[in-house]
Amino acid sequence: MNAPVDVSFFARAAKPITSYRPYWAKRFGVAPLLPMSRAEMEKLGWDSCDIILVTGDAYVDHPSFGMAVVGRVLEAQGFRVGIIAQPDWTSAEAFKALGKPNLFWGVTAGNMDSMINRYTADRKIRSDDAYTPGDVGGKRPDRAAIVYSQRCREAFKDVPIVLGGIEGSLRRIAHYDYWSDKVRRSVVVDSKCDLLLYGNAERALVEVAHRIAAREPIERITDVRGTAFVRRPGDPTAEGWIEIDSTEVDMPGRVEDHINPYLTTSEQAQAQGETCSKDDEPPPLPLGEGRGEGSSNIKPLSFFPNPNLRAKSPHPNPLPTGEGAKAKPQRLPRDRSVIRLPSYEQVKSDAVLYAHANRVLHLETNPGNARALVQAHGEGSTARDVWINPPPIPLTTAEMDFVFDLPYARSPHPAYADEHGKHDGATKIPAWEMIRFSVNIMRGCFGGCTFCSITEHEGRIIQSRSEESIIKEVEDIRDKVEGFTGVVSDLGGPTANMYRLGCKTPEIEAACRKPSCVYPGICSNLTTDHGPLIKIYKRARELRGIKKVLIGSGLRYDLAIKSPEYVKELVQHHVGGYLKIAPEHTEGGPLSKMMKPGIGSYDKFKQLFEKFSEEAGKKQYLIPYFIAAHPGTSDEDMMNLAVWLKKNGFRADQVQTFYPSPMATATAMYHTNLNPLKGISRDAQRAERVDIVRGDKRRRLHKAFLRYHDSNNWPLLREALKTMGRADLIGNGKHHLIPTFQPMTDGSYQSARRKNSTPVGKAAQPAAGRLLTQHTGLPPRVTGAGRPGSPVGAGKRKPR
């Protein structure tokens, strides 16, 4: 018997972030920019700051920078907010610059995880940092969230520390750390923060700020959604909770084969012995539900490892059997249920339990049905639990408008200006330059790509702004932003075309536990109407003074082909010659581990793209992105991708290699060699092993297949093809992948686009102030400059 589904949390009204009584300091009004010095505070008439925000990014007062959003939201609540940006972390002195905060510290590593910001996928130190003036690297420490929190504690030890940002968000539980190649503790433990806010945290932040302002001790603030904190054994605030063992939420069962993404929906159902007929369809059962959730195996303060998952322990505790195990399921209050994950010590030493914990974490991410999670860290006198409350309730459209309509200066702080008071020269901040004339129209992503952490951070419920708010921001850019030439660089977000898309009914959305709404195919309950987005595109490009509205965000092309009208509007009016999309691979093996659609969807989109480009009389190009060395990718898969690239005339000048970011499902695959998308078991016959690309030599080979056209890679590829029994791909014909001859080379590489060439003895580096991007299959830009017939004679024209 299946346990009944609880009432959706979305049906329960969350307190609007605009409904709080403003703090008394509201009387000081709005600051042109949040102060970064005591002199600026004095100009505003402040004797102190109520909240001081510490960030690893330069302070840019723009809604695409998280710390600016947090600061302006808190300011709108009446608090005096100061910012300490990229402080010298070698001592606590820089953290005393604005004095002692009256309420709390707000700490973040910045818009990126500090380790990803600092190191390449090959663990090499980057020389640049797009979030720093002048694109200079080294302005933030490794594991900045931990370092900044420690320095804040040293500066004023009795002031509460509230940690946030993507680095904290993705490290909220015990997690595999790629850079140290080990499982690290929750950042809540390592940073010793008082409270962690994960995800887009405006709702939680506003509540926490007002409760601290009302003199409520931060250690008692344990009931806010979207927060994590430490609880010691015997903490009275934990009373009244029903604890559930994680193996009762996700009982290992029969391992299902991955659905072939190339099959139709009917064929997929037939392959599983099922049918698409609604009359024959059984009642929907959300993943993980009805597997003992309501059984009498639930006991307080315990962890019962399932026999199939059991760790080597001096006191193994199998699941109870007999009458108790067959008890009739009972309904449990989800808002008072907490799932105990395997402890840090267990997941650190046991890959199977790590994969299991990762799977359960991702099952409990829907705000409509997620339960609290708890994970033990330490033993004996050091024992404590990291408690993670359910995700925050998404912001409404009105609340999104409120956040984005705040009085942002839309520019970097004057402290970064050059001698002319500008931010366009040696002090330019590349990340700001990229989004300077862009508009964020939504949040969230329901794609569920396993290598991406957007869903884990922002959630899979799409939060959209209103059309009026978006158009108003476009007009503000036109009228107020210096340097605007009439071209809006982007109307997007995590994805370009998920605006106002979501589940057809709130009840289904709140009950669903699928990790993706578009894999293995687009869910029948998902709306794919691009009408509201088309309307915004048309209205924005028709505004007076707007010459062009480009779309720079990543496009979900499998959704786009459901709306040819959208593709037509996009291609004919919003493409600046090139459109970037991300098939990521062509082969079913790696695609199934990525949860990405088959290459057939790309082919369909390409047909529409070329059709509408031709109708408009425009010569435009698709730029497909691919990933090398992703879990589940064999050498043969990369070879087949290289053959596909050559057949289609693509040359990847810059290659993306899989980067194991904290908490991502693909990272769990990388660490454990198991597939958390399936049931986890110790039985080798039931658990799927994943081919992991480790070691420099094999990673170089996979990257070399993507750059089959670079003669520096030919010796490595010849050796590999002979070993693989595919010497037939070596030859001097058009149908061969690489030639038999080896030209004289000094290690340099000359691209059809000069800026992507590699000088002798140097790795590919972007120009100062320019972000590294991938350009594939692009012809040389002929402008008449350079030698006639030269393959790089074009490079003088300004890039679009």
Side-chain angles (χ1 to χ4, degrees), residues 537-560:
Y537 284 5
K538 290 181 177 179
R539 186 173 171 187
R541 65 180 169 86
E542 291 171 356
L543 288 174
R544 176 186 55 82
I546 302 298
K547 299 176 183 177
K548 188 86 172 179
V549 177
L550 299 174
I551 304 303
S553 297
L555 183 74
R556 191 76 196 200
Y557 55 88
D558 52 344
L559 280 174

mmCIF file of all heavy atoms in Angstrom, residues 537-560:
data_model
loop_
_atom_site.group_PDB
_atom_site.id
_atom_site.type_symbol
_atom_site.label_atom_id
_atom_site.label_comp_id
_atom_site.label_asym_id
_atom_site.label_seq_id
_atom_site.Cartn_x
_atom_site.Cartn_y
_atom_site.Cartn_z
ATOM 1 N N TYR A 537 10.363 39.207 -26.043
ATOM 2 C CA TYR A 537 11.375 39.451 -27.079
ATOM 3 C C TYR A 537 10.905 40.532 -28.057
ATOM 4 O O TYR A 537 11.642 41.472 -28.374
ATOM 5 C CB TYR A 537 11.650 38.166 -27.858
ATOM 6 C CG TYR A 537 12.504 37.138 -27.160
ATOM 7 C CD1 TYR A 537 12.926 37.293 -25.845
ATOM 8 C CD2 TYR A 537 12.893 35.978 -27.825
ATOM 9 C CE1 TYR A 537 13.700 36.330 -25.218
ATOM 10 C CE2 TYR A 537 13.679 35.012 -27.210
ATOM 11 C CZ TYR A 537 14.072 35.190 -25.907
ATOM 12 O OH TYR A 537 14.847 34.239 -25.299
ATOM 13 N N LYS A 538 9.665 40.373 -28.536
ATOM 14 C CA LYS A 538 9.144 41.317 -29.511
ATOM 15 C C LYS A 538 9.007 42.717 -28.921
ATOM 16 O O LYS A 538 9.376 43.713 -29.552
ATOM 17 C CB LYS A 538 7.781 40.835 -30.035
ATOM 18 C CG LYS A 538 7.856 39.603 -30.934
ATOM 19 C CD LYS A 538 6.478 39.203 -31.427
ATOM 20 C CE LYS A 538 6.554 38.022 -32.394
ATOM 21 N NZ LYS A 538 5.219 37.600 -32.880
ATOM 22 N N ARG A 539 8.497 42.787 -27.710
ATOM 23 C CA ARG A 539 8.285 44.091 -27.089
ATOM 24 C C ARG A 539 9.624 44.783 -26.821
ATOM 25 O O ARG A 539 9.752 45.998 -27.038
ATOM 26 C CB ARG A 539 7.495 43.927 -25.792
ATOM 27 C CG ARG A 539 7.113 45.248 -25.151
ATOM 28 C CD ARG A 539 6.192 45.043 -23.969
ATOM 29 N NE ARG A 539 6.006 46.284 -23.241
ATOM 30 C CZ ARG A 539 5.357 46.387 -22.085
ATOM 31 N NH1 ARG A 539 4.793 45.301 -21.554
ATOM 32 N NH2 ARG A 539 5.252 47.544 -21.465
ATOM 33 N N ALA A 540 10.620 44.024 -26.388
ATOM 34 C CA ALA A 540 11.919 44.611 -26.070
ATOM 35 C C ALA A 540 12.610 45.141 -27.325
ATOM 36 O O ALA A 540 13.170 46.243 -27.326
ATOM 37 C CB ALA A 540 12.804 43.577 -25.376
ATOM 38 N N ARG A 541 12.561 44.377 -28.416
ATOM 39 C CA ARG A 541 13.268 44.826 -29.623
ATOM 40 C C ARG A 541 12.556 45.978 -30.338
ATOM 41 O O ARG A 541 13.149 46.641 -31.181
ATOM 42 C CB ARG A 541 13.463 43.653 -30.588
ATOM 43 C CG ARG A 541 12.214 43.033 -31.186
ATOM 44 C CD ARG A 541 12.612 41.889 -32.117
ATOM 45 N NE ARG A 541 11.492 41.076 -32.540
ATOM 46 C CZ ARG A 541 10.707 41.340 -33.588
ATOM 47 N NH1 ARG A 541 10.933 42.441 -34.313
ATOM 48 N NH2 ARG A 541 9.708 40.530 -33.907
ATOM 49 N N GLU A 542 11.289 46.201 -29.981
ATOM 50 C CA GLU A 542 10.553 47.301 -30.596
ATOM 51 C C GLU A 542 10.637 48.596 -29.795
ATOM 52 O O GLU A 542 10.103 49.623 -30.210
ATOM 53 C CB GLU A 542 9.084 46.896 -30.773
ATOM 54 C CG GLU A 542 8.888 45.807 -31.836
ATOM 55 C CD GLU A 542 7.479 45.262 -31.855
ATOM 56 O OE1 GLU A 542 6.664 45.672 -30.982
ATOM 57 O OE2 GLU A 542 7.173 44.412 -32.716
ATOM 58 N N LEU A 543 11.321 48.552 -28.645
ATOM 59 C CA LEU A 543 11.457 49.758 -27.833
ATOM 60 C C LEU A 543 12.291 50.809 -28.562
ATOM 61 O O LEU A 543 13.254 50.480 -29.262
ATOM 62 C CB LEU A 543 12.128 49.426 -26.494
ATOM 63 C CG LEU A 543 11.301 48.654 -25.456
ATOM 64 C CD1 LEU A 543 12.179 48.291 -24.266
ATOM 65 C CD2 LEU A 543 10.098 49.471 -24.991
ATOM 66 N N ARG A 544 11.937 52.053 -28.390
ATOM 67 C CA ARG A 544 12.712 53.147 -28.971
ATOM 68 C C ARG A 544 14.127 53.112 -28.406
ATOM 69 O O ARG A 544 14.343 52.970 -27.204
ATOM 70 C CB ARG A 544 12.037 54.480 -28.629
ATOM 71 C CG ARG A 544 12.803 55.718 -29.111
ATOM 72 C CD ARG A 544 12.136 56.993 -28.611
ATOM 73 N NE ARG A 544 11.996 56.985 -27.160
ATOM 74 C CZ ARG A 544 12.988 57.315 -26.317
ATOM 75 N NH1 ARG A 544 14.176 57.641 -26.789
ATOM 76 N NH2 ARG A 544 12.774 57.307 -25.009
ATOM 77 N N GLY A 545 15.110 53.237 -29.279
ATOM 78 C CA GLY A 545 16.500 53.277 -28.854
ATOM 79 C C GLY A 545 17.155 51.920 -28.722
ATOM 80 O O GLY A 545 18.350 51.842 -28.421
ATOM 81 N N ILE A 546 16.412 50.848 -28.948
ATOM 82 C CA ILE A 546 16.969 49.495 -28.875
ATOM 83 C C ILE A 546 17.224 48.998 -30.299
ATOM 84 O O ILE A 546 16.287 48.828 -31.084
ATOM 85 C CB ILE A 546 16.035 48.529 -28.127
ATOM 86 C CG1 ILE A 546 15.766 49.033 -26.709
ATOM 87 C CG2 ILE A 546 16.626 47.122 -28.116
ATOM 88 C CD1 ILE A 546 16.994 49.137 -25.834
ATOM 89 N N LYS A 547 18.492 48.788 -30.623
ATOM 90 C CA LYS A 547 18.842 48.328 -31.966
ATOM 91 C C LYS A 547 18.762 46.809 -32.083
ATOM 92 O O LYS A 547 18.366 46.282 -33.123
ATOM 93 C CB LYS A 547 20.263 48.780 -32.308
ATOM 94 C CG LYS A 547 20.469 50.286 -32.323
ATOM 95 C CD LYS A 547 21.929 50.622 -32.581
ATOM 96 C CE LYS A 547 22.178 52.119 -32.527
ATOM 97 N NZ LYS A 547 23.631 52.429 -32.699
ATOM 98 N N LYS A 548 19.160 46.117 -31.035
ATOM 99 C CA LYS A 548 19.234 44.664 -31.097
ATOM 100 C C LYS A 548 19.104 44.100 -29.700
ATOM 101 O O LYS A 548 19.654 44.651 -28.735
ATOM 102 C CB LYS A 548 20.579 44.231 -31.692
ATOM 103 C CG LYS A 548 20.715 42.747 -31.983
ATOM 104 C CD LYS A 548 20.165 42.405 -33.344
ATOM 105 C CE LYS A 548 20.467 40.963 -33.729
ATOM 106 N NZ LYS A 548 19.915 40.606 -35.052
ATOM 107 N N VAL A 549 18.371 43.005 -29.571
ATOM 108 C CA VAL A 549 18.301 42.255 -28.315
ATOM 109 C C VAL A 549 18.855 40.866 -28.598
ATOM 110 O O VAL A 549 18.230 40.072 -29.308
ATOM 111 C CB VAL A 549 16.858 42.167 -27.777
ATOM 112 C CG1 VAL A 549 16.824 41.309 -26.519
ATOM 113 C CG2 VAL A 549 16.299 43.551 -27.493
ATOM 114 N N LEU A 550 20.034 40.596 -28.067
ATOM 115 C CA LEU A 550 20.660 39.293 -28.267
ATOM 116 C C LEU A 550 20.288 38.351 -27.129
ATOM 117 O O LEU A 550 19.929 38.788 -26.027
ATOM 118 C CB LEU A 550 22.184 39.449 -28.321
ATOM 119 C CG LEU A 550 22.735 40.320 -29.444
ATOM 120 C CD1 LEU A 550 24.238 40.497 -29.283
ATOM 121 C CD2 LEU A 550 22.415 39.717 -30.804
ATOM 122 N N ILE A 551 20.384 37.062 -27.387
ATOM 123 C CA ILE A 551 20.159 36.049 -26.358
ATOM 124 C C ILE A 551 21.483 35.329 -26.129
ATOM 125 O O ILE A 551 21.968 34.604 -27.002
ATOM 126 C CB ILE A 551 19.057 35.053 -26.764
ATOM 127 C CG1 ILE A 551 17.768 35.808 -27.092
ATOM 128 C CG2 ILE A 551 18.828 34.029 -25.651
ATOM 129 C CD1 ILE A 551 17.237 36.689 -25.978
ATOM 130 N N GLY A 552 22.072 35.559 -24.965
ATOM 131 C CA GLY A 552 23.376 34.989 -24.669
ATOM 132 C C GLY A 552 23.341 33.820 -23.711
ATOM 133 O O GLY A 552 24.332 33.103 -23.566
ATOM 134 N N SER A 553 22.216 33.600 -23.021
ATOM 135 C CA SER A 553 22.117 32.481 -22.081
ATOM 136 C C SER A 553 22.046 31.161 -22.841
ATOM 137 O O SER A 553 21.668 31.117 -24.015
ATOM 138 C CB SER A 553 20.880 32.633 -21.197
ATOM 139 O OG SER A 553 20.961 33.787 -20.412
ATOM 140 N N GLY A 554 22.378 30.091 -22.150
ATOM 141 C CA GLY A 554 22.326 28.769 -22.760
ATOM 142 C C GLY A 554 20.911 28.400 -23.151
ATOM 143 O O GLY A 554 19.962 28.567 -22.378
ATOM 144 N N LEU A 555 20.753 27.886 -24.364
ATOM 145 C CA LEU A 555 19.428 27.553 -24.894
ATOM 146 C C LEU A 555 19.140 26.069 -24.700
ATOM 147 O O LEU A 555 19.972 25.215 -25.013
ATOM 148 C CB LEU A 555 19.379 27.887 -26.390
ATOM 149 C CG LEU A 555 18.040 27.656 -27.089
ATOM 150 C CD1 LEU A 555 17.052 28.739 -26.702
ATOM 151 C CD2 LEU A 555 18.231 27.617 -28.591
ATOM 152 N N ARG A 556 17.978 25.752 -24.177
ATOM 153 C CA ARG A 556 17.551 24.354 -24.076
ATOM 154 C C ARG A 556 16.821 24.017 -25.374
ATOM 155 O O ARG A 556 15.628 24.258 -25.548
ATOM 156 C CB ARG A 556 16.631 24.181 -22.872
ATOM 157 C CG ARG A 556 16.354 22.732 -22.522
ATOM 158 C CD ARG A 556 17.513 22.049 -21.826
ATOM 159 N NE ARG A 556 17.345 20.602 -21.866
ATOM 160 C CZ ARG A 556 17.945 19.752 -21.054
ATOM 161 N NH1 ARG A 556 18.782 20.187 -20.131
ATOM 162 N NH2 ARG A 556 17.742 18.453 -21.159
ATOM 163 N N TYR A 557 17.571 23.461 -26.332
ATOM 164 C CA TYR A 557 17.034 23.312 -27.693
ATOM 165 C C TYR A 557 15.977 22.222 -27.794
ATOM 166 O O TYR A 557 15.127 22.262 -28.685
ATOM 167 C CB TYR A 557 18.177 23.045 -28.688
ATOM 168 C CG TYR A 557 19.044 21.864 -28.346
ATOM 169 C CD1 TYR A 557 18.724 20.583 -28.767
ATOM 170 C CD2 TYR A 557 20.198 22.034 -27.603
ATOM 171 C CE1 TYR A 557 19.522 19.511 -28.441
ATOM 172 C CE2 TYR A 557 20.999 20.962 -27.279
ATOM 173 C CZ TYR A 557 20.659 19.694 -27.702
ATOM 174 O OH TYR A 557 21.456 18.628 -27.366
ATOM 175 N N ASP A 558 16.000 21.225 -26.875
ATOM 176 C CA ASP A 558 14.951 20.200 -26.924
ATOM 177 C C ASP A 558 13.602 20.790 -26.535
ATOM 178 O O ASP A 558 12.548 20.290 -26.962
ATOM 179 C CB ASP A 558 15.305 18.999 -26.042
ATOM 180 C CG ASP A 558 15.683 19.396 -24.621
ATOM 181 O OD1 ASP A 558 15.975 20.579 -24.381
ATOM 182 O OD2 ASP A 558 15.708 18.510 -23.750
ATOM 183 N N LEU A 559 13.603 21.849 -25.732
ATOM 184 C CA LEU A 559 12.365 22.578 -25.444
ATOM 185 C C LEU A 559 12.007 23.518 -26.591
ATOM 186 O O LEU A 559 10.831 23.670 -26.941
ATOM 187 C CB LEU A 559 12.521 23.395 -24.161
ATOM 188 C CG LEU A 559 12.365 22.685 -22.820
ATOM 189 C CD1 LEU A 559 12.710 23.646 -21.688
ATOM 190 C CD2 LEU A 559 10.959 22.141 -22.647
ATOM 191 N N ALA A 560 13.013 24.147 -27.172
ATOM 192 C CA ALA A 560 12.768 25.133 -28.225
ATOM 193 C C ALA A 560 12.067 24.523 -29.429
ATOM 194 O O ALA A 560 11.207 25.161 -30.047
ATOM 195 C CB ALA A 560 14.081 25.779 -28.646
#
